[in-house]
Amino acid sequence: MSKGHVRISRRGLLGSAVAVAAVAVTGGPATAAAPLRTGAARPDGGGQVPAVWREFTRAPFTHPQIPYVGRAGHRGGAARFPRRPVVADVRAYGAVADDGTTDCAPAINRAIAAAGRAGGGTVLIPPGTFRIDDLIRIGHSNVVLRGAGSDRTKLYATKNLTELIGVYGSRYGGDKSSWSWAGGLIWLAPTARWDSLVAAVKAKAWPFEGWTGNKRDEWETLTTVAPATRGSWSVTVADPRPLKPGRLVLLRLADDAGHTLLEHMSGGGPGPESYYWDDKTKLTSYVPYEWPVRIARVRGRKVTLERPLPLDLRPEWDPRLTTHVEPLTGSGVEGLTLEAIETPQSPHLLDKGYNGVVLQCAYDCWVDDVTVRHVDNGFGLVAASACTLRRTRVAGRGSHHPYFCREGSHDNLVEDFTIEQRTVPAPPNTQLHGINVEGLSSYNVWSRGDLQMGTFDSHRGLPFANVRTDITVNNDGRHGGDASAGPLFGARFTHWNIRVTNGRAGLMKIDGLAPYSATVGLNEVTEFDQIDVPDFTGDLHSRLELYGTTDVVRPRNLHEAQRDL
């Protein structure tokens, strides 16, 4: 094992699971939403500890407002990424730095393909600027594309995805561009998923994007699963024979005619039960809920997972473990800047596809020390899970979606990220979002961020159980999403230690918007947007603690504190 590779053994994983589960058992069940309290001051003067945190530590996997995200990211949030042996240098395949005329994309892609044929390894790009007239694609697992650092290696992209692949139209027709929320000039996606998507673009057909591929019947049942509760680390299966430790499977939950699964994702109760779901056609197209997870241990019919269950498993939702398209695992992009040719930002939903780095159908992959500049859309997670984006930056003329997380992306970690203020004024009829999450995506974390522009965007589609923590934001963006996509928020959204520099409240203070949510350690905000209205009636069972404080709430970072429990 290489020096930088942090490996979690099954014994270590199970030990940590049992240890944390013991905390939950001995602490008793989670309490109901309590009256607001001001928190207890720490004796060292290091900030206040909110009551909701003390409750969470007693029942970390089943708390009604705060999700457990302590194992989000690549290998459960490991501090180091694997250091794979170098198998190729792009110069050996014809890449030339700094001449401004040589298209280096074919050479880089040949080097990546060679690494894939070798079973993985690192492809080096040395210091310098390399022109690319095509996109860079990583389609095999365990392949790492590594530059010399984001301040030393640059890929200069001259074309967009519309030019390179074609017009990727909207599922609803018209002239909207799906490159507004898909595809990257560095694109990590398994070959089968890539081939099916490109074929759909060529055929001008909208593909359903997900872990099962373009068609919802492209999966096979491994075994059905007995009822279980959210937060359980183990499940009981009907047939354990197809399951082995380390295997990546999909937990698949279908909805019923009464949409009780969607109600459960929203926290349940009178509000979600009275919500009208039947006309939310875009939302219902995201169902079934598909959650990829590795098997940690098999003992008879009892199967232990690497993460606790994100939802209850009920018979009416037909819970089962299934196969999926071959995923991309163990691949990464490191140490480079991707700069697109500078063009004005396109009008809203007409993006041409000057996009940054996208991970699609990826699991346990990563991006580290990467900057994108002059892009339509920055970093994307599309049906991607357990991935880490670390030390990433969106810079230049401004973006539509600096970060997007959609189509059932789960358990991802975005940390130490920056959205720079745009270098030119925004053109008319353009839109700025920020850090986006939508489409039943769950248990994702945005941590230690600096949003010099943008907002905490939801494009509806009922994302749930996501965390934003330890972030400074100049809140000047707006959320998106049409009515057919359903609610802005499901249950267990948490905003923890958020510093809004311009005082604008929209999508920061969510106790009046998100059911079973928690807003903790937010400075005082005003200027609420008229479009930010709750989707559910009645008591939202949300928590607001230490609002208006100028102190840092302890723990400062909710994700790190959960990881260290």
Side-chain angles (χ1 to χ4, degrees):
M1 184 169 57
S2 58
K3 183 178 294 186
H5 189 175
V6 176
R7 180 168 181 174
I8 303 174
S9 68
R10 291 196 298 273
R11 178 175 296 179
L13 184 151
L14 294 169
S16 63
V18 171
V20 181
V23 174
V25 172
T26 58
T31 61
L36 302 184
R37 286 180 278 181
T38 58
R42 287 168 55 98
D44 59 5
Q48 294 179 298
V49 180
V52 70
W53 171 250
R54 296 194 295 273
E55 294 173 12
F56 177 84
T57 59
R58 293 195 295 269
F61 308 130
T62 56
H63 193 275
Q65 280 92 11
I66 297 179
Y68 175 73
V69 292
R71 292 193 56 77
H74 170 266
R75 290 185 175 258
R80 297 181 181 178
F81 301 118
R83 303 291 290 181
R84 308 204 185 284
V86 175
V87 296
D89 186 312
V90 298
R91 291 172 296 187
Y93 290 81
V96 179
D98 301 323
D99 73 349
T101 59
T102 302
D103 174 16
C104 299
I108 296 172
N109 282 323
R110 285 195 297 269
I112 291 172
R117 290 192 299 270
T122 296
V123 174
L124 289 181
I125 310 179
T129 297
F130 296 81
R131 172 174 171 159
I132 57 172
D133 298 338
D134 200 350
L135 62 89
I136 305 301
R137 187 170 69 86
I138 298 176
H140 293 89
S141 294
N142 301 316
V143 173
V144 178
L145 182 64
R146 181 186 302 151
S150 60
D151 58 343
R152 302 181 67 201
T153 296
K154 179 191 295 185
L155 303 183
Y156 182 67
T158 64
K159 295 185 179 180
N160 57 60
L161 294 171
T162 299
E163 294 175 285
L164 297 172
I165 300 178
V167 177
Y168 187 22
S170 168
R171 69 199 301 173
Y172 298 111
D175 58 358
K176 293 180 180 179
S177 166
S178 290
W179 297 130
S180 297
W181 51 77
L185 292 171
I186 300 178
W187 197 336
L188 290 79
T191 299
R193 186 67 187 86
W194 162 265
D195 291 344
S196 61
L197 186 142
V198 171
V201 174
K202 300 296 185 184
K204 294 182 170 56
W206 175 270
F208 290 103
E209 297 177 4
W211 278 89
T212 53
N214 289 336
K215 298 178 181 179
R216 287 297 189 184
D217 58 357
E218 291 182 350
W219 53 272
E220 296 179 2
T221 296
L222 296 171
T223 180
T224 56
V225 185
T229 57
R230 174 175 66 90
S232 299
W233 288 77
S234 297
V235 296
T236 301
V237 301
D239 182 7
R241 289 174 297 175
L243 307 178
K244 305 294 182 184
R247 181 168 187 175
L248 182 62
V249 299
L250 279 181
L251 171 65
R252 190 176 188 273
L253 297 178
D255 203 3
D256 58 11
H259 299 298
T260 59
L261 176 61
L262 298 178
E263 292 173 3
H264 177 55
M265 292 174 177
S266 305
E273 289 172 4
S274 64
Y275 185 80
Y276 190 70
W277 302 94
D278 288 339
D279 62 345
K280 308 304 186 294
T281 53
K282 187 173 183 179
L283 172 62
T284 53
S285 75
Y286 295 140
V287 180
Y289 176 80
E290 298 169 334
W291 183 62
V293 66
R294 289 196 191 278
I295 303 298
R297 184 173 68 185
V298 180
R299 292 291 185 271
R301 294 172 54 212
K302 183 178 180 181
V303 176
T304 301
L305 308 174
E306 66 175 337
R307 290 177 175 85
L309 287 177
L311 294 165
D312 290 351
L313 307 186
R314 299 178 186 174
E316 55 266 36
W317 302 331
D318 191 23
R320 57 186 62 218
L321 299 179
T322 76
T323 60
H324 46 77
V325 294
E326 185 68 25
L328 188 75
T329 63
S331 293
V333 179
E334 302 174 348
L336 58 84
T337 288
L338 172 65
E339 180 175 319
I341 186 172
E342 187 171 1
T343 60
Q345 185 178 343
S346 298
H348 191 220
L349 298 180
L350 297 179
D351 297 343
K352 295 178 181 178
Y354 290 107
N355 294 351
V357 184
V358 167
L359 286 71
Q360 186 161 3
C361 279
Y363 193 93
D364 267 337
C365 294
W366 69 91
V367 178
D368 183 32
D369 183 28
V370 172
T371 294
V372 296
R373 182 174 287 113
H374 304 322
V375 293
D376 293 336
N377 301 281
F379 295 89
L381 296 159
V382 181
S385 293
C387 296
T388 295
L389 276 59
R390 182 177 295 155
R391 299 190 297 164
T392 55
R393 179 178 295 264
V394 180
R397 51 86 156 155
S399 302
H400 181 189
H401 297 95
Y403 291 82
F404 58 90
C405 177
R406 61 188 307 271
E407 294 284 0
S409 292
H410 314 293
D411 303 300
N412 297 293
L413 172 62
V414 182
E415 62 181 358
D416 297 313
F417 65 98
T418 301
I419 302 174
E420 291 187 2
Q421 184 59 254
R422 65 174 70 242
T423 56
V424 296
N429 303 318
T430 59
Q431 185 71 269
L432 167 64
H433 297 303
I435 51 175
N436 154 266
V437 60
E438 59 181 284
L440 300 185
S441 296
S442 64
Y443 293 86
N444 301 289
V445 179
W446 293 261
S447 169
R448 296 196 305 269
D450 180 15
L451 275 67
Q452 297 168 21
M453 63 177 189
T455 194
F456 292 174
D457 168 45
S458 165
H459 267 43
R460 300 189 177 274
L462 197 64
F464 67 94
N466 297 286
V467 168
R468 286 91 169 231
T469 181
D470 194 11
I471 297 172
T472 300
V473 53
N474 176 39
N475 187 26
D476 62 354
R478 296 292 188 278
H479 77 71
D482 56 54
S484 68
L488 278 171
F489 303 102
R492 295 183 301 286
F493 256 80
T494 301
H495 290 174
W496 190 282
N497 267 332
I498 306 300
R499 302 166 292 277
V500 181
T501 61
N502 63 347
R504 179 173 165 265
L507 299 174
M508 302 289 123
K509 185 175 181 290
I510 57 173
D511 59 296
L513 295 173
Y516 290 91
S517 66
T519 303
V520 180
L522 173 69
N523 60 294
E524 188 172 355
V525 291
T526 56
E527 300 179 32
F528 290 86
D529 292 346
Q530 292 182 348
I531 62 172
D532 297 342
V533 296
D535 293 287
F536 303 111
T537 58
D539 186 358
L540 295 179
H541 301 280
S542 57
R543 299 289 287 270
L544 177 65
E545 291 198 41
L546 298 177
Y547 171 61
T549 181
T550 58
D551 290 336
V552 173
V553 171
R554 303 296 176 184
R556 180 187 181 100
N557 187 290
L558 183 61
H559 165 253
E560 293 174 356
Q562 290 194 20
R563 185 185 58 198
D564 295 340
L565 269 177

